[in-house]
Amino acid sequence: RMGARDYEAGVYHFTVALSLDWHNLQARMSRGYCFLVLGDHDQALADFAGVISHQSDYNRNVYVLAALCYLRKGEYDTAVRYLTRCLFKYPTFKEALLARGELF
């Protein structure tokens, strides 16, 4: 349903998937993305933090998405910290380098 840009339905379906397997990192990250698009940054951050805490190297984009949430909340220092954490793990990740540079 995300292809149809029905992010509320996406939240529902990913939540169902997580009820069957709480450690499904793809469902958690995708639900976080849906929350981000819907403007629910706290719920998105909870999902992104869950992915990072369960497997910090699952997907490098999770750090950028979390930073974007913090940026939209006006928490620039925390956004920079997430991008810095990302760059410690993935020092050549161009998108994180650019995003971090834009915040300075």
Side-chain angles (χ1 to χ4, degrees), residues 22-42:
W22 189 246
H23 299 293
N24 183 330
L25 299 180
Q26 182 62 48
R28 183 167 306 286
M29 189 163 164
S30 295
R31 185 177 73 170
Y33 179 78
C34 289
F35 281 131
L36 172 63
V37 170
L38 292 169
D40 191 341
H41 302 112
D42 291 330

Side-chain angles (χ1 to χ4, degrees), residues 20-76:
L20 300 173
D21 177 8
W22 189 246
H23 299 293
N24 183 330
L25 299 180
Q26 182 62 48
R28 183 167 306 286
M29 189 163 164
S30 295
R31 185 177 73 170
Y33 179 78
C34 289
F35 281 131
L36 172 63
V37 170
L38 292 169
D40 191 341
H41 302 112
D42 291 330
Q43 290 285 4
L45 284 167
D47 280 342
F48 297 148
V51 170
I52 292 168
S53 69
H54 188 74
Q55 187 177 338
S56 65
D57 62 348
Y58 172 72
N59 186 318
R60 64 189 183 179
N61 291 310
V62 72
Y63 293 93
V64 175
L65 292 170
L68 181 58
C69 287
Y70 282 112
L71 181 62
R72 289 184 177 175
K73 290 175 58 140
E75 298 181 30
Y76 298 99

